[in-house]
Amino acid sequence: VSDMLTLTRMERGADVFEAAPVDLSALADELCRDMALIADKGISLAYEIEPGVTVDGDAARLSRMLSNLIGNAYRYGRENGRIRVTLKRDADEALLTVADDGVGIAPENLENIFERFFRCAPDRSDGGTGLGLSIVKHAVQYHHGAIHLQSEVGKGTEIRVTFPMA
């Protein structure tokens, strides 16, 4: 219910936040430290965060976006697998990458992956609602960013998000 309310507010523009400088490096570092403790299915989370990467935006939305990406990497990761999170400056943009060596996404599902309620394997009972990546997409759009996805079945998924630097 919380995810649905969040997504509905984002889609309607009902949650209006005044953009402020957000230290994305500090936010990502803290979130990665916390989420590395999950270690679900023996999956390790490694991260490399360049200090001082700042964007204009909303810290809560950025945190939700990153936690959804990492949560998906755990959910669809393989046992004893790896998740890698990186954040760095790339010219005048912040580049955030979340990569895993999990199950991957079939090519026929790639175009729908960011749509609300879409699930690659709807018969799985993994607790997902199909809203997480839609929330990610809207958070990226709110921050005037772009999202790029590469995935191969059986090899894993990499999601790259870019934002203009503050």
Side-chain angles (χ1 to χ4, degrees):
V1 171
S2 175
D3 284 348
M4 189 65 211
L5 289 172
T6 297
L7 182 58
T8 301
R9 286 185 194 117
M10 291 173 91
E11 289 176 342
R12 291 187 178 170
D15 282 344
V16 178
F17 296 96
E18 196 168 312
V22 175
D23 184 343
L24 190 55
S25 297
L27 184 147
D29 186 71
E30 181 178 350
L31 191 61
C32 286
R33 285 180 196 276
D34 289 346
M35 292 193 80
L37 300 174
I38 295 172
D40 190 33
K41 298 188 281 189
I43 297 172
S44 66
L45 188 149
Y47 50 97
E48 186 176 333
I49 309 296
E50 182 178 325
V53 177
T54 303
V55 299
D56 283 328
D58 176 63
R61 285 186 186 193
L62 291 166
S63 179
R64 181 76 176 263
M65 176 207 65
L66 182 55
S67 66
N68 282 0
L69 291 173
I70 294 171
N72 272 6
Y74 273 118
R75 180 174 286 125
Y76 298 105
R78 67 179 68 245
E79 197 143 331
N80 300 313
R82 296 183 319 205
I83 300 169
R84 178 115 180 112
V85 178
T86 60
L87 175 65
K88 63 181 181 178
R89 283 181 194 87
D90 186 25
D92 58 348
E93 293 183 319
L95 173 61
L96 174 68
T97 305
V98 178
D100 66 60
D101 59 358
V103 299
I105 302 164
E108 64 271 15
N109 292 327
L110 290 174
E111 71 180 57
N112 299 315
I113 200 73
F114 293 104
E115 298 305 315
R116 64 168 45 201
F117 301 120
F118 182 81
R119 297 182 68 206
C120 291
D123 56 331
R124 286 181 50 171
S125 58
D126 58 14
T129 61
L131 294 173
L133 288 179
S134 190
I135 290 170
V136 167
K137 176 183 85 170
H138 283 83
V140 170
Q141 289 173 341
Y142 173 82
H143 291 89
H144 308 289
I147 190 164
H148 308 279
L149 181 139
Q150 287 183 294
S151 189
E152 189 174 339
V153 173
K155 301 233 180 198
T157 300
E158 178 180 282
I159 296 180
R160 291 182 315 269
V161 179
T162 56
F163 298 111
M165 293 285 291

